[in-house]
Amino acid sequence: MKTVSIEVLRLPHMDGIDLPQFETAQAAGADLRAAIETPVTLAPGTRKLIPTGFCMALPAGYEAQVRPRSGLALKHGITVLNSPGTIDADYRGEVGVLIINHGDQDFTVARGDRFAQMVIAPVTQGTFKLVSDLSDTVRGSGGYGSTGTE
């Protein structure tokens, strides 16, 4: 498993909260914790930007992908709204996570709760070249649902 060094700046409202951490030796995602002063309750269908209390400097050529935690999605219908959210290597602001409650009951996030996860991944940038036509494939221009049952 490859590791990269990520500089992290702790903001004052993160005092006493753990940095992102991988909970098992081979975990792909590091858990993110809520750096909120008071609990936040999301009613079904509502969304909220939850601060993490830190900024970071990713190495050039990497991104951080913010994703839901599977247990919260299964048990409570809590997910990351723009999943996966991308944090670019040149962003230096606070990491915040936009979560939504797709469940049927209120859900409360408390200070220090693990509520999302972050995966560090290499980035490939493409170059875009304008052409007059594209090569043919079996699929062609078939879109949504064109390869099987819905």
Side-chain angles (χ1 to χ4, degrees), residues 77-94:
I78 303 302
T79 191
V80 174
L81 194 55
N82 60 324
S83 183
T86 294
I87 302 171
D88 297 308
D90 57 354
Y91 177 66
R92 294 296 184 269
E94 180 176 5

Side-chain angles (χ1 to χ4, degrees), residues 2-3 24 38 70 88 112 122 131 134 144:
K2 185 176 182 177
T3 61
T24 64
T38 59
S70 58
D88 297 308
V131 297
L134 301 174
Y144 296 102

Side-chain angles (χ1 to χ4, degrees), residues 8 17 19 47 55 67 70 72 74 86 107 113 119 130 138:
V8 176
I17 295 176
L19 291 175
R47 60 190 178 272
C55 305
R67 301 178 181 183
S70 58
L72 291 180
L74 174 65
T86 294
F107 180 80
D113 280 356
V119 173
L130 188 61
V138 172

Side-chain angles (χ1 to χ4, degrees), residues 20-75:
Q21 60 189 39
F22 299 92
E23 296 295 326
T24 64
Q26 295 192 32
D31 285 342
L32 300 176
R33 295 180 179 270
I36 51 180
E37 294 304 318
T38 59
V40 172
T41 298
L42 285 88
T46 61
R47 60 190 178 272
K48 181 75 174 175
L49 182 64
I50 305 292
T52 62
F54 72 91
C55 305
M56 65 182 169
L58 292 166
Y62 286 86
E63 68 163 328
Q65 299 174 2
V66 180
R67 301 178 181 183
R69 293 190 68 231
S70 58
L72 291 180
L74 174 65
K75 296 173 186 171

Side-chain angles (χ1 to χ4, degrees), residues 10 14 17 41 51 60 109 127 138:
R10 182 186 298 268
M14 190 191 188
I17 295 176
T41 298
V109 179
T127 57
V138 172

